[in-house]
Amino acid sequence: MSSVASPPPVGGPSAWPIRDETITFHDVVLERGDRLERVDVRYRLEGTINAARDNVVLVVHALTGTTHASDWWKGVIGANEAIDPTRHAVLCANLLGGCDGTTGPSNETPDALPPFSTRDQAALLARLLDALDVAAPLLVCGGSLGGMVTLEFAASFPTRVRSAVVLAAPAAQTAQGIAWNAIMRRAIALGGAREGLALARMVGMLSYRTPDGLERRFGRSRSEHGTFQVQDWLDAHGEKLVARFDAASYGALIDAMDEHDVGRDRGGLSAALSAVGDRLIGVGIPGDLLYPAECVREWTTAANATYVELPSIHGHDAFLLEVDRVSAVIAKAVADSEARAVSPAPVVAIATPSVVTAVSPRVRPLRVALAGCGHVGGSLLDLLCERAQQLGDAQPVHVNRVLVRDAARPRPALAQAIARGIAGPDACITDPTLLLGDDIDVLVEVIGGTTTARTLVETAVRRGIRVVTANKALLGERGAALSALARLTDTRLDFEGAVCGAIPIVRCVRSGAAGVGITKVSGILNGTSNYVLEQVAEGASLADAVATAQRLGYAEADPTRVTSDDPWARVAGPFNRIVVESESAGSLVFQGPGAGGRATAGAVLADIVARERQD
């Protein structure tokens, strides 16, 4: 990353220091898998970050907002106000896709940025905090689009949230919101970058205010030119926006709003926000035509968060105009956050090479190096995201680096893990020599093959780094030697995923659950071969059957055929069946998926978080 400072702001001296800077991040992966070589982020910092770096208030602007937060939120931000730059460091960054200095499309270069989401915008704010060495802001807050991004930040980085206030924003874009945006999008398409944007703004202003508010303010009054004053008001807002905003950026931002859904790929709304609900405040505005108060009440109830109602004649824009009541909500959130900072179990920062994460002082993340991000590696990242939603901070796992062969290939699972804070923003690498370091607790090898995989596993074991592998070929060729090396260095080597997929047979035998005096083990141990043979029996050619198995993730890139003379032909598809017979426990029968990315990844994850020692 790099940063460039701007000259001091034009105008009179401020009562607090102001920094306007642009910081550059490289190799940014978006949620849907697009990779950006460079992203510039423009931000303003009003006030000074204290020595403890715990006084930062992250303010997230709305659709057409700027980085000058104290200008557009007067009465909320200012000396002796709820957010006070003489005490707090007020950080406001232009969101990804904006046109206030951050990378985004413009009228001149409308294709400068692929589609992005509010989750991507939140992830970039987290990277900015990392660059400023801020683990957990004192407060994160925003309204409308800013509220959406604040919710995504809370869901993606729950351990970095001490308090968050979300004003007039839903957890998922509403049909009403999509409809308003469709009209504005059509206005730009028909009217162009100037007249179309002006018309879109005029349409937007009608969704931001209430009929009662407009009636009281304008009624049927006319200007000195004979036009209705409400018409002049709309015209003025349209022209003002055209003078400072890009139509392409406007369109991209409302596209991101339409895709907004905090519960997407997180198990639903409750699962996405439950870990941070006790630190969330949602502000709903009765009469809001854009996002009715019921939208906010819905997600606060699901997350067990605090709901505050803000009645106002102004409608949606009340979060900007009702400064006294908004300040009261913000002030309480700040006070609650400051109180948490001196609680018996304070939040502290744990740093890794690529991310700074706030976690409980009693729980350090298990730091993982992942070799391979194909079917199994991608499924593992998906499972880690799901696990984080369910467990929150309990036994956290962080993927420090991910080794891939082709860095340009879209990897949605990795992008999602980065967005969730489970993998670092710079985690993706292509050089195997950079994978292992002193910051790694576990090497997870799912890259396949016996060349690079062997080097990585042997290097890790020699360094005392625990290894989890799903590599059948490597274990078949070097299993005995690797086990001997692991015993010599007192390093654990786990390989559940290389044996029977989802069936925990290795753990069962190691723990003694299968009993003592094991006399016989029989079964179908290769679900991939079983699946291929079944397809052939149904009339498919061997080549087609193997290709199908590879496409489904059941087969490796170089599958090996085995004969099938086991009498358990009724075990269908990629399933395994095992019978363990022992003197003490009798016969134990196990059956489950023995192949496939998710099944194998589940076994790998169980090995990663297992605590028992290897025999």
Side-chain angles (χ1 to χ4, degrees), residues 130-398:
D130 294 341
L132 297 175
D133 196 22
V134 176
L138 179 67
L139 175 70
V140 186
C141 58
S144 198
L145 170 59
M148 294 178 178
V149 177
T150 298
L151 271 177
E152 276 292 350
F153 186 93
S156 299
F157 311 101
T159 56
R160 303 188 74 164
V161 175
R162 292 159 64 188
S163 282
V165 176
V166 177
L167 303 105
Q173 176 67 296
T174 63
Q176 182 85 339
I178 293 171
W180 283 110
N181 285 347
I183 297 171
M184 293 190 289
R185 198 177 288 110
R186 178 64 66 89
I188 293 173
L190 295 177
R194 181 172 180 81
E195 295 301 323
L197 179 60
L199 179 56
R201 180 62 163 180
M202 294 166 70
V203 170
M205 290 305 299
L206 292 179
S207 72
Y208 303 152
R209 300 300 175 91
T210 65
D212 191 27
L214 293 178
E215 189 66 32
R216 291 192 188 187
R217 179 173 178 181
F218 301 110
R220 295 182 53 79
S221 60
R222 295 177 182 266
S223 69
E224 59 185 11
H225 305 294
T227 55
F228 287 111
Q229 286 189 350
V230 68
Q231 177 184 339
D232 293 346
W233 176 77
L234 288 172
D235 286 339
H237 274 285
E239 291 303 315
K240 284 168 59 179
L241 187 69
V242 167
R244 67 178 182 86
F245 220 85
D246 279 295
S249 177
Y250 194 93
L253 290 169
I254 63 174
D255 286 348
M257 294 174 73
D258 282 355
E259 295 300 320
H260 171 68
D261 183 355
V262 172
R264 182 181 63 247
D265 298 328
R266 289 174 171 148
L269 179 56
S270 180
L273 296 175
S274 58
V276 73
D278 62 329
R279 287 156 281 151
L280 273 177
I281 298 174
V283 178
I285 303 168
D288 185 343
L289 297 180
L290 185 56
Y291 301 126
E294 292 76 13
C295 296
V296 180
R297 188 187 295 274
E298 177 186 12
W299 68 254
T300 56
T301 300
N304 198 25
T306 300
Y307 174 74
V308 176
E309 200 155 89
L310 180 64
S312 173
I313 194 174
H314 298 302
H316 184 71
D317 268 357
F319 79 90
L320 295 170
L321 301 175
E322 299 283 1
V323 293
D324 290 341
R325 284 184 287 172
V326 169
S327 292
V329 176
I330 296 288
K332 183 180 186 306
V334 169
D336 289 346
S337 183
E338 290 172 338
R340 290 187 187 102
V342 295
S343 64
V347 173
V348 299
I350 298 296
T352 71
S354 58
V355 70
V356 179
T357 305
V359 298
S360 165
R362 292 167 293 184
V363 181
R364 179 177 65 78
L366 189 66
R367 302 166 298 181
V368 170
L370 175 60
C373 194
H375 284 297
V376 177
S379 295
L380 175 63
L381 292 172
D382 286 338
L383 290 177
L384 287 172
C385 289
E386 294 172 16
R387 182 177 184 272
Q389 293 164 11
Q390 296 168 356
L391 300 182
D393 297 339
Q395 201 181 11
V397 177
H398 188 270

Side-chain angles (χ1 to χ4, degrees), residues 401 403 429-437 452 455-456 463:
R401 285 180 287 282
L403 177 66
I429 63 172
T430 57
D431 185 350
T433 64
L434 301 179
L435 185 64
L436 301 175
T452 301
T455 300
L456 289 172
R463 293 183 184 178

Side-chain angles (χ1 to χ4, degrees), residues 508-570:
C508 176
V509 173
R510 279 181 169 176
S511 66
V516 296
I518 295 176
T519 59
K520 184 179 180 181
V521 177
S522 58
I524 295 176
L525 302 183
N526 196 320
T528 302
S529 297
N530 190 65
Y531 177 83
V532 170
L533 292 172
E534 181 185 45
Q535 295 298 303
V536 171
E538 293 178 357
S541 68
L542 177 61
D544 288 344
V546 170
T548 301
Q550 288 175 317
R551 177 173 56 82
L552 295 173
Y554 298 154
E556 299 164 349
D558 183 22
T560 302
R561 291 185 295 125
V562 297
T563 60
S564 178
D565 55 1
D566 196 287
W568 295 350
R570 288 174 296 176

